[in-house]
Amino acid sequence: QVQLVESGGGLVQAGGSLRLTCAASGSTFSIYAMAWYRQGPEKKREFVAATTRGGETDYAESVKGRFTISRDNAKDTLYLQMNNLRVEDTGVYFCNANDSTWYYGPYWGQGTQVTVSS
């Protein structure tokens, strides 16, 4: 089992920046990929960014060039640096971990709220 705890959310004006952190614990040796997802008001949960243990990355088109995902394997920690935030980036951001593939793994954090004001 893997436990994930997110932090770093908050309220920021459009154009501002935030850095999210996800701390993993438990059977972290089994994790292949980690990712961020978000769910806006009255929206479905959507993919934001993912990275593998080897450092490969993938991003949703809407965040390319603005968000950067990174991972510190030694600290079992995942980051999401979010720059030039937009109102439409508002939502609850969830950390996700997967043992074998890139997306929608079985382990989820509780989420952290990001609110971007105009």
Side-chain angles (χ1 to χ4, degrees):
Q1 289 291 326
V2 174
Q3 294 78 44
L4 303 171
V5 179
E6 304 96 333
S7 60
L11 174 64
V12 64
Q13 286 190 327
S17 298
L18 280 175
R19 188 194 197 202
L20 304 184
T21 299
C22 172
S25 60
S27 302
T28 58
F29 61 88
S30 69
I31 298 174
Y32 169 69
M34 297 186 75
W36 291 98
Y37 293 78
R38 67 187 180 189
Q39 187 165 9
E42 300 182 0
K43 294 183 180 180
K44 293 182 179 180
R45 191 172 298 189
E46 63 177 2
F47 169 74
V48 175
T51 184
T52 65
R53 183 174 289 276
E56 299 168 284
T57 58
D58 186 29
Y59 295 91
E61 284 296 324
S62 60
V63 307
K64 280 183 180 179
R66 301 188 298 123
F67 291 11
T68 302
I69 190 170
S70 60
R71 178 176 174 178
D72 187 330
N73 291 324
K75 295 182 179 180
D76 291 327
T77 302
L78 180 72
Y79 304 98
L80 185 68
Q81 177 66 44
M82 305 186 294
N83 298 328
N84 193 19
L85 282 160
R86 304 168 179 169
V87 172
E88 54 264 37
D89 294 319
T90 294
V92 179
Y93 283 68
F94 297 91
C95 179
N96 178 262
N98 200 324
D99 295 341
S100 57
T101 62
W102 281 69
Y103 310 106
Y104 290 98
Y107 308 111
W108 293 90
Q110 82 288 350
T112 186
Q113 176 70 45
V114 171
T115 303
V116 185
S117 62
S118 59

